[in-house]
């Protein structure tokens, strides 16, 4: 999450969506694996070697070639989904806190369709506090939430890999100072 102060009256935080290096890496690995399995299955069916690294033309098509072809198709379908997530940048967006308009706008990209852009607007005077949630362990979670009087807590940080504790503290403190509300959970 990057923070940009355009004016003293507006604070904007950009949120990284699915376009992360780790997602590019996984999409590439799954694509290569899917193509490899599919070519191995097709090699056993056609009885000609389509792979550079090994010769799978000697495998029997039933049952081994069928299984390899199935895994290849499943891998390519999963890879297609991962690449589409990267293209659509699902989860990316911004948080904008404007004292000029008296509103907080939280905007995120969704899946394509009728409501691709998910946008929530909250009046600044409804904000009670900024809450930090820190959970360590096997699946660590470090998030900031906007605690409102009339709504549930609204998440402000990205989903996925946890952000550094010092970054979370700095962002939470900066936001609480800007909105003039307390910071809870630290």
């Amino acid at each position: 999450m990057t923070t940009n102060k355009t004016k003293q009256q507006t604070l904007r935080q950009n949120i990284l969506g699915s376009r992360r290096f780790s997602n590019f890496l996984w999409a590439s690995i799954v694509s290569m694996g899917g193509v490899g399995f599919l070519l191995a299955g097709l090699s056993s069916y056609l009885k000609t070697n389509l792979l550079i690294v090994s010769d799978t033309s000697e495998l029997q098509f039933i049952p081994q070639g069928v299984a390899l072809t199935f895994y290849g198709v499943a891998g390519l379908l999963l890879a297609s989904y991962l690449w589409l997530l990267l293209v659509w940048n699902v989860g990316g967006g911004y948080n904008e806190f404007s004292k000029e308009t008296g509103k907080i706008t939280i905007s995120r990209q969704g899946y394509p369709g009728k409501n691709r852009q998910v946008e929530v607007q909250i009046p600044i005077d409804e904000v009670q506090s900024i809450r930090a949630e820190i959970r360590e362990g096997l699946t660590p979670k470090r998030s900031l939430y906007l605690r409102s009087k009339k709504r549930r807590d609204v998440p402000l940080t990205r989903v996925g890999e946890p952000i550094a504790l010092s970054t979370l503290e700095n962002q939470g403190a900066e936001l609480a100072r800007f909105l003039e509300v307390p910071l809870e959970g630290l």
Side-chain angles (χ1 to χ4, degrees), residues 11-104:
L11 178 68
R12 184 180 173 107
Q13 300 171 328
N14 294 319
I15 305 296
L16 181 65
S18 60
R19 289 185 185 157
R20 285 184 244 142
F21 175 74
S22 62
N23 290 348
F24 279 106
L25 182 68
W26 282 113
S28 300
I29 289 171
V30 171
S31 296
M32 288 187 291
V35 167
F37 275 107
L38 184 62
L39 288 177
L42 291 176
S43 291
S44 72
Y45 178 72
L46 300 172
K47 299 294 184 202
T48 57
N49 188 22
L50 299 174
L51 289 173
I52 298 170
V53 292
S54 68
D55 186 11
T56 57
S57 62
E58 299 300 319
L59 292 176
Q60 291 182 3
F61 183 67
I62 296 178
Q64 295 151 328
V66 172
L68 289 170
T69 304
F70 172 75
Y71 291 141
V73 169
L76 288 176
L77 288 174
L78 177 60
S80 299
Y81 174 72
L82 293 173
W83 285 112
L84 285 173
L85 284 179
L86 292 168
V87 169
W88 295 329
N89 194 23
V90 174
Y94 63 90
N95 303 330
E96 187 173 88
F97 308 91
S98 175
K99 289 183 178 179
E100 291 175 9
T101 62
K103 291 184 181 178
I104 298 170

Side-chain angles (χ1 to χ4, degrees), residues 159-180:
V159 176
E161 47 197 62
I163 58 179
L165 191 56
S166 60
T167 306
L168 180 81
E169 289 173 349
N170 291 339
Q171 288 175 355
E174 178 185 19
L175 190 55
R177 247 189 327 272
F178 182 79
L179 295 175
E180 299 169 359

